[in-house]
Amino acid sequence: MLYAIIGEDRAGTLDQRLAARPDHLARLQALQADGRLVLAGPCPAIDSPDPGPAGFSGSIIVAEFTSLEAARTWADADPYVAAGVYEKVTVKPFKKVLPA
């Protein structure tokens, strides 16, 4: 089943985010290699594809896991969690409708 993982950044953590980014991306690339990643990306803190020093307000990941518990366990092990970037992480089931 698909799950949406929504991480909300703690204010003022752009430097920690950038430092943890290579490890964060490596985990996403592993999901992609397994054919389980639907989409992933950051949410700019301002209305711009390159927010510069304004940074990001969080991230969204939609991926396939065997259960809600497995998705939560994966999300809890994210390098952004370990680096203190995410203030809150929400994991919930997701039903893809479009595109078909």
Side-chain angles (χ1 to χ4, degrees):
M1 179 163 183
L2 296 178
Y3 295 88
I5 300 170
I6 302 130
E8 297 177 38
D9 285 18
R10 187 178 318 278
T13 58
L14 181 58
D15 289 342
Q16 293 96 310
R17 176 183 262 273
L18 295 175
R21 187 171 188 263
D23 292 336
H24 172 78
L25 288 178
R27 296 178 82 235
L28 292 172
Q29 289 164 343
L31 279 180
Q32 184 177 16
D34 288 345
R36 297 170 41 204
L37 182 65
V38 174
L39 65 88
C43 300
I46 60 173
D47 190 14
S48 172
D50 181 4
F56 300 91
S57 62
S59 303
I60 299 172
I61 299 164
V62 177
E64 184 178 342
F65 293 92
T66 56
S67 67
L68 180 58
E69 181 180 339
R72 284 185 178 142
T73 297
W74 187 91
D76 288 344
D78 193 287
Y80 286 169
V81 172
V85 174
Y86 288 156
E87 182 172 45
K88 177 182 177 187
V89 178
T90 303
V91 180
K92 52 182 150 183
F94 180 82
K95 181 178 178 185
K96 181 181 173 198
V97 174
L98 294 171

